[in-house]
Amino acid sequence: ESIRLQSAGNAFRKNISNSAIPLNKNGTEVIPPGAYVTYAVGDLNFNTDIYTDPDRFDPGRFLPDRAEDRKQHYGAMTWGLARHPCLGMRFAKLENNLLTAFFVAYFDEFHLVDRKGNSAGVPPVNKENHTAKKPDVEVLLKYHVKQD
C-alpha cells in the first residue's frame, strides 16, 4: 500500500524490436519500432474505479476478501509488471515483512503524533513527487515497548 501511494510518476518503455507491437486484438493500434510508450502510473494507482478512497492509506485493500487491485487486469503497478517486474521485489517484500513482524512483536502500542505529542493522522500523499519521499508534513511515531 505504501508503494502504491508513492507510485504517481510515469513508466517508459521503448520498442527496440524491428516489429510493430499490437495493442489490441485487431492490430489496428500498434507501437511502431523505435517508438517510446509512456504509462501514467498514478492514473492506475489512484483510479477510483479500482480503489475505494484511493488517497487514503489502507493496507487492507489488498486482503483476499477485498482484493481491490484484482478488480481489473493489471489493477496495480507497484512492483512493475509482466516481463519487467522489480528485480529487488522479493527482497524488499521480505524486508517489509520482517520489519512489520519485529515492530508488532516488540511494541504493544504505537500511533502517529506531532512534535507536541498530539495525535496526528497519516499525511496526504504529494502526487507531484515521482519517487518515494518523506511526507511534506513532519509526523512522528510514539510507541511503548512490550513488557515481559
Side-chain angles (χ1 to χ4, degrees):
E1 176 67 348
S2 59
I3 292 173
R4 182 190 69 81
L5 289 171
Q6 292 291 336
S7 300
N10 295 310
F12 296 93
R13 292 287 184 264
K14 180 180 182 181
N15 179 359
I16 58 171
S17 74
N18 293 324
S19 306
I21 299 172
L23 295 175
N24 59 13
K25 291 180 181 178
N26 303 344
T28 56
E29 295 180 53
V30 298
I31 303 167
Y36 285 91
V37 174
T38 183
Y39 191 88
V41 178
D43 288 352
L44 175 66
N45 290 342
F46 294 93
N47 185 337
T48 55
D49 293 335
I50 300 172
Y51 299 104
T52 306
D53 194 8
D55 292 327
R56 185 172 55 93
F57 179 75
D58 181 9
R61 69 177 78 244
F62 295 98
L63 293 173
D65 62 328
R66 287 178 56 196
E68 292 183 12
D69 58 318
R70 309 262 182 201
K71 288 181 183 176
Q72 160 179 322
H73 191 60
Y74 296 131
M77 193 169 173
T78 53
W79 296 97
L81 297 170
R83 294 188 297 170
H84 301 283
C86 173
L87 294 175
M89 172 177 54
R90 288 183 180 163
F91 180 68
K93 285 182 176 182
L94 176 63
E95 280 185 318
N96 284 338
N97 289 342
L98 287 172
L99 287 170
T100 301
F102 175 82
F103 205 85
V104 171
Y106 282 88
F107 305 111
D108 59 4
E109 182 183 326
F110 44 89
H111 50 276
L112 299 174
V113 296
D114 62 16
R115 273 249 177 238
K116 296 179 181 178
N118 299 319
S119 182
V122 177
V125 174
N126 181 344
K127 293 180 188 169
E128 297 301 317
N129 294 336
H130 297 292
T131 186
K133 287 181 70 174
K134 291 181 180 179
D136 293 337
V137 178
E138 182 181 58
V139 179
L140 305 171
L141 187 65
K142 185 175 183 177
Y143 58 89
H144 295 106
V145 178
K146 285 184 179 178
Q147 301 298 317
D148 290 337

